[in-house]
Amino acid sequence: MLNVGEQLVSSYLRYIRKCDFIQTNLYTIESQGEIDVVGLNIAEQQVYICEVAVHLTTGLQYVRDNKPNNVQKLTDKFSRDIEYARKYLDEYNQHFMLWSPIVKDTQGNPENNQTRHLEEIKANIQEQYSVEIEFIVNERFQECLVELRNYARAETKNIQCPLVRLMQIEEYLDKHVKKLTHMQGRESTPILPDKRNEEIDNSTPVTVTASGTEFSYTGPEMKVLRLKAGLSQGDVAEELGMKRSSSAAIGDWEAERVKVPPKHHATLLSLYQPRKMYQND
């Protein structure tokens, strides 16, 4: 059965980290265990040794005897991984990664705080092996998915990996439908915006004014304007002269983590201003 989490990690290593060789479920004879995903970039002498834990509703949650067991289980797994890599892959620059999309920072009992579990795992491995574990979790996991989607969007050849091929189909279909609606003289909302859970809140009226370069919109108002204009975060990034992969910056503005640089105010106003649909919402 296809393990989607392991396939996502394998695809990231192949297409983004340019690994020549990918192995999933690598059996380690001495420890009688498995490494979820190993990727080798031979030209650059890099090896990526990854453990993958996709737990959605509970977050990162290994349990033993009805108690959280994240720290012990993952400390043991990475200890075996490091010992294997040092014995058989010593000529490579080694990267150890934990991939988990949802890690919860609970405010109650520290025993259940998954973010704290990662800190303990990191400290254990650092103390025992002087090795830094890279945690691909939460926002960082999402950023890696965006990198894969950007790769799929730019690639013209048939991608062999089914998951990334699906992303490629989605992206090309999105472009095609937008082109059709433009030719038909209709405005289009994006089929697949950068953030799949984005929704237009029609209860929030936003009016764009063209008075100079005054820019006083809140982050949520900017998001409404963008979505009503039928633009993804990547589209806005390109219009501002940024790389499409810089779409995370647009998300930062909309989430009000950082302010929009003044140099972009006029362009954003002109980008949103022509959308006549605002006047009729």
Side-chain angles (χ1 to χ4, degrees), residues 207-217 265-266 269-270 273:
T207 303
V208 178
T209 60
S211 57
T213 58
E214 181 183 357
F215 192 88
S216 58
Y217 302 109
H265 290 180
L269 285 175
S270 64
Q273 175 66 27

Side-chain angles (χ1 to χ4, degrees), residues 27-47:
Y27 183 65
T28 54
I29 298 175
E30 288 89 345
S31 63
Q32 296 185 342
E34 286 185 344
I35 303 174
D36 289 338
V37 183
V38 176
L40 292 176
N41 181 322
I42 297 173
E44 298 178 9
Q45 289 290 286
Q46 308 290 325
V47 60

Side-chain angles (χ1 to χ4, degrees), residues 47 49 78 81-82 85 94-98 131-134:
V47 60
I49 299 171
F78 278 109
D81 294 352
I82 292 167
Q94 300 169 2
H95 306 269
F96 297 90
M97 297 174 163
L98 172 64
V131 167
E132 190 81 11
I133 303 296
E134 184 177 355

Side-chain angles (χ1 to χ4, degrees), residues 163-188:
L163 295 178
V164 185
R165 176 62 171 169
L166 175 60
M167 291 181 179
Q168 186 183 36
I169 292 170
E170 291 174 336
E171 292 299 322
Y172 274 78
L173 176 61
D174 189 28
K175 291 179 183 178
H176 175 65
V177 172
K178 284 181 178 179
K179 183 177 180 180
L180 287 178
T181 54
H182 177 73
M183 292 173 62
Q184 294 167 359
R186 294 186 284 109
E187 292 291 347
S188 167

Side-chain angles (χ1 to χ4, degrees), residues 32-250:
Q32 296 185 342
E34 286 185 344
I35 303 174
D36 289 338
V37 183
V38 176
L40 292 176
N41 181 322
I42 297 173
E44 298 178 9
Q45 289 290 286
Q46 308 290 325
V47 60
Y48 301 89
I49 299 171
C50 307
E51 297 296 344
V52 184
V54 178
H55 306 161
L56 299 182
T57 56
T58 62
L60 179 62
Q61 189 70 292
Y62 289 107
V63 177
R64 183 177 183 181
D65 297 330
N66 295 320
K67 294 182 179 180
N69 192 42
N70 289 335
V71 176
Q72 188 63 56
K73 183 175 182 65
L74 291 170
T75 296
D76 289 345
K77 284 178 71 70
F78 278 109
S79 296
R80 293 193 294 267
D81 294 352
I82 292 167
E83 290 169 6
Y84 177 90
R86 287 182 173 177
K87 184 171 183 178
Y88 296 105
L89 300 166
D90 191 52
E91 69 273 22
Y92 288 88
N93 184 19
Q94 300 169 2
H95 306 269
F96 297 90
M97 297 174 163
L98 172 64
W99 290 72
S100 187
I102 298 176
V103 175
K104 298 184 177 183
D105 186 1
T106 57
Q107 300 300 314
N109 189 338
E111 186 180 41
N112 298 316
N113 190 314
Q114 297 166 8
T115 300
R116 181 168 177 173
H117 295 167
L118 295 189
E119 295 173 356
E120 294 181 37
I121 295 164
K122 179 179 180 179
N124 289 345
I125 296 300
Q126 182 67 40
E127 180 180 0
Q128 294 178 44
Y129 298 100
S130 298
V131 167
E132 190 81 11
I133 303 296
E134 184 177 355
F135 296 120
I136 312 296
V137 303
N138 299 340
E139 295 91 341
R140 179 60 186 135
F141 196 105
Q142 189 174 54
E143 289 170 1
C144 290
L145 290 182
V146 171
E147 287 183 76
L148 269 176
R149 186 169 292 281
N150 289 340
Y151 172 86
R153 179 186 297 116
E155 186 56 71
T156 57
K157 67 176 182 292
N158 187 335
I159 297 174
Q160 296 302 309
C161 170
L163 295 178
V164 185
R165 176 62 171 169
L166 175 60
M167 291 181 179
Q168 186 183 36
I169 292 170
E170 291 174 336
E171 292 299 322
Y172 274 78
L173 176 61
D174 189 28
K175 291 179 183 178
H176 175 65
V177 172
K178 284 181 178 179
K179 183 177 180 180
L180 287 178
T181 54
H182 177 73
M183 292 173 62
Q184 294 167 359
R186 294 186 284 109
E187 292 291 347
S188 167
T189 52
I191 303 294
L192 292 170
D194 287 346
K195 307 291 186 181
R196 292 194 177 189
N197 61 348
E198 289 183 327
E199 295 180 355
I200 300 175
D201 182 2
N202 288 317
S203 65
T204 306
V206 182
T207 303
V208 178
T209 60
S211 57
T213 58
E214 181 183 357
F215 192 88
S216 58
Y217 302 109
T218 65
E221 287 173 341
M222 289 174 57
K223 180 176 177 179
V224 171
L225 289 171
R226 175 174 62 75
L227 292 177
K228 286 185 176 181
L231 298 170
S232 69
Q233 292 177 348
D235 294 334
V236 174
E238 287 186 341
E239 292 287 347
L240 295 175
M242 302 159 62
K243 292 183 178 178
R244 195 174 186 90
S245 58
S246 302
S247 59
I250 313 303

